[in-house]
Amino acid sequence: MHRIKLTVAYDGTAYCGWQVQPNGTSVQSVLQAAVEDLVGGKINLTGASRTDSGVHALGQVAIFDTDMDLDPRQFARAINVRLPEDIVVQESCEVPIDFHPRYAKIRKTYSYRVLNSSVPNPFLRRYSLFYPSRLDLQAMQEAAAILTGRHDFRSFSSKKPDVGSTVRTIESLTLERRGDLITLRVSGDGFLYHMVRILAGTLLKVGRGQKNITDIRQALRNPRFQAAGPTAPARGLLLEKIEYLE
Amino acid sequence: MHRIKLTVAYDGTAYCGWQVQPNGTSVQSVLQAAVEDLVGGKINLTGASRTDSGVHALGQVAIFDTDMDLDPRQFARAINVRLPEDIVVQESCEVPIDFHPRYAKIRKTYSYRVLNSSVPNPFLRRYSLFYPSRLDLQAMQEAAAILTGRHDFRSFSSKKPDVGSTVRTIESLTLERRGDLITLRVSGDGFLYHMVRILAGTLLKVGRGQKNITDIRQALRNPRFQAAGPTAPARGLLLEKIEYLE
């Protein structure tokens, strides 16, 4: 038995998210069907990150077990010919049979894109939030510096039934402007439900002058679900990569 | 009566091209309906360039005449709220009543994008040609230099019933690689039917070593329709801008 690890990119626009749902087509179900067609039998596909409906990925990670006798690096190509164009396996390799994509020491990196121009761009419409208001990038960067580090991020998450600790570590949180496009990029050991989208929504409020540094400190000191700011739309969010640290 | 000039960007994926066709939805018909809804009556919309099915534009130009009393710069926003997300008016202004977007001294710039990597990219699938073979960029650049200038480009075009002279001037033709993405960019006083896509298809053959400089010279000296090379797929092509020179 071999455990195969896939690195998967997808345009999430057409999907109800990574995870299998009662309604809508999930990335996981389409990918699982492609793998099953290749190996000729049922498999269990386990993903590292449950991206929401409309969220994109460059480096989602998923594993499955198989007896199939194929060079592990060849799975990527063999699966890709069975996939629609909006899901692409970037890489495949074999991992130890006890490797689990969620229960390992990891670093995740997400980015959130904001098109800050007076007119929309038809090519970025699926991959960015169109936000024509003037933004104070320096104020956003100052707020980002306060959010960096180990904090209780409960105010920056939506409630889920099985939530445990809401303490997480943001290793880095940067904002960069290139022309009309502002990219927020955040790395950390894990993210709460909606956390990156609430970070983005809150920092946009800071950029417009509707929230300030004091509000950010307050949201960290007094952790209550969704107390920080609004949840930015899914389309701007991209799971860039997942690094396994041990 | 005012003549209003629109600069229009669109993702051509869902359309049968710019021009109204018996089958399929054209960019022109959708834009015309949006303008008619705004001005409250019939208008004629005249475009500068008849982009093919699946071809994209950043800077298509179109005009219409209206008596509507609106600041000419405000038409863009007023039309955009009546358009789907894949068509966006970038800019509007008033032009002299005798301005015609095709019968004027112009410079057009097109680009063609090639994703030259071993795996496809789901985010570029609509906007580039996926071409995994190794390409000799220097050989392509040498061939591009030969194509630059005033030539009979008949070998680099598809036949059309009403074709006149096939002599055109390419002012510049460059190829640039950034990471996995190769961008061909060409500017000139006008382009024949399928010309940019045949330039791209021919230069890709040069990049693979399947055509050489002698073949290019031969195609220019002995002009016969489509004698140069294959027509690259529409999805990689983008009408970047149209400049009016007088």
Side-chain angles (χ1 to χ4, degrees), chain A:
Chain A
M1 186 67 77
H2 309 284
R3 181 157 289 189
I4 304 298
K5 172 174 171 258
L6 305 177
T7 306
V8 190
Y10 48 85
D11 177 338
T13 310
Y15 299 98
C16 67
W18 167 262
Q19 207 174 10
V20 174
Q21 300 279 346
N23 303 315
T25 307
S26 71
V27 177
Q28 182 184 17
S29 63
V30 172
L31 183 56
Q32 182 158 326
V35 175
E36 289 179 345
D37 184 61
L38 170 67
V39 305
K42 290 282 167 201
I43 57 121
N44 276 314
L45 191 73
T46 306
S49 218
R50 291 175 190 159
T51 58
D52 286 337
S53 177
V55 172
H56 315 291
L58 255 184
Q60 170 72 289
V61 168
I63 56 158
F64 64 94
D65 294 340
T66 181
D67 285 324
M68 191 178 184
D69 196 22
L70 180 67
D71 176 346
R73 289 165 303 180
Q74 296 303 317
F75 277 97
R77 189 183 298 252
I79 296 168
N80 281 339
V81 300
R82 294 167 166 86
L83 284 172
E85 283 190 329
D86 52 4
I87 305 177
V88 179
V89 179
Q90 302 287 299
E91 209 175 71
S92 56
C93 65
E94 186 165 0
V95 288
I97 202 75
D98 64 347
F99 172 85
H100 191 286
R102 279 201 301 279
Y103 309 130
K105 195 166 154 51
I106 61 177
R107 180 191 296 126
K108 285 188 186 174
T109 301
Y110 282 91
S111 57
Y112 194 95
R113 278 171 184 71
V114 176
L115 180 66
N116 187 220
S117 68
S118 57
V119 283
N121 179 320
F123 307 107
L124 298 176
R125 71 190 193 282
R126 293 157 168 255
Y127 312 121
S128 64
L129 168 65
F130 172 58
Y131 202 88
S133 308
R134 215 185 67 81
L135 289 168
D136 180 345
L137 192 68
Q138 201 184 322
M140 294 167 79
Q141 287 166 331
E142 286 168 15
I146 287 165
L147 290 161
T148 306
R150 187 164 178 80
H151 301 287
D152 187 335
F153 285 103
R154 184 169 293 229
S155 300
F156 296 83
S157 77
S158 297
K159 196 165 183 173
K160 268 206 154 175
D162 58 346
V163 73
S165 164
T166 47
V167 173
R168 294 290 184 278
T169 302
I170 290 183
E171 284 181 43
S172 76
L173 174 54
T174 61
L175 289 134
E176 187 188 31
R177 176 190 282 278
R178 279 196 189 184
D180 291 336
L181 201 65
I182 294 174
T183 302
L184 175 160
R185 186 166 283 114
V186 60
S187 296
D189 57 354
F191 293 90
L192 301 165
Y193 185 46
H194 283 165
M195 179 168 158
V196 182
R197 288 164 60 186
I198 295 177
L199 286 169
T202 305
L203 290 172
L204 285 167
K205 288 280 176 195
V206 172
R208 291 205 63 185
Q210 293 167 348
K211 282 190 181 283
N212 59 34
I213 299 292
T214 309
D215 298 320
I216 303 296
R217 290 195 204 277
Q218 187 62 25
L220 289 175
R221 276 196 205 126
N222 183 18
R224 288 173 300 121
F225 283 113
Q226 285 183 305
T231 306
R235 57 171 65 185
L237 186 59
L238 173 71
L239 169 56
E240 289 202 347
K241 62 181 170 183
I242 301 172
E243 296 162 279
Y244 291 91
L245 303 174
E246 309 191 311

Side-chain angles (χ1 to χ4, degrees), chain B residues 175-215:
Chain B
L175 289 134
E176 187 189 31
R177 178 191 281 278
R178 278 198 190 183
D180 291 335
L181 201 65
I182 295 174
T183 302
L184 175 161
R185 186 166 283 115
V186 60
S187 295
D189 56 355
F191 294 90
L192 301 164
Y193 187 47
H194 283 165
M195 179 168 158
V196 182
R197 288 165 58 186
I198 296 178
L199 286 169
T202 305
L203 290 173
L204 285 168
K205 288 280 178 196
V206 171
R208 291 205 62 185
Q210 294 168 347
K211 283 192 181 281
N212 60 34
I213 299 292
T214 309
D215 299 320

Side-chain angles (χ1 to χ4, degrees), chain B residues 71-112:
Chain B
D71 176 346
R73 289 166 301 179
Q74 296 304 318
F75 276 97
R77 188 184 297 252
I79 296 167
N80 282 340
V81 299
R82 294 167 165 87
L83 284 172
E85 283 191 330
D86 53 4
I87 305 178
V88 180
V89 179
Q90 301 288 299
E91 209 175 69
S92 56
C93 64
E94 186 166 1
V95 288
I97 201 77
D98 64 345
F99 172 85
H100 191 287
R102 280 202 300 279
Y103 309 129
K105 195 165 155 51
I106 60 176
R107 180 191 296 126
K108 283 188 187 174
T109 300
Y110 282 92
S111 58
Y112 194 94

Side-chain angles (χ1 to χ4, degrees), chain B residues 116-182:
Chain B
N116 187 221
S117 69
S118 57
V119 283
N121 178 321
F123 307 107
L124 297 176
R125 70 190 195 282
R126 294 157 167 255
Y127 313 120
S128 64
L129 168 65
F130 173 59
Y131 201 88
S133 309
R134 215 186 67 81
L135 289 168
D136 180 344
L137 192 68
Q138 202 185 324
M140 295 168 79
Q141 287 166 330
E142 286 167 16
I146 287 164
L147 289 161
T148 306
R150 188 165 176 80
H151 301 287
D152 187 334
F153 284 103
R154 185 169 293 231
S155 299
F156 296 83
S157 77
S158 297
K159 197 167 181 170
K160 268 208 155 173
D162 57 348
V163 74
S165 163
T166 48
V167 174
R168 294 289 185 279
T169 301
I170 291 183
E171 283 180 45
S172 77
L173 174 54
T174 60
L175 289 134
E176 187 189 31
R177 178 191 281 278
R178 278 198 190 183
D180 291 335
L181 201 65
I182 295 174

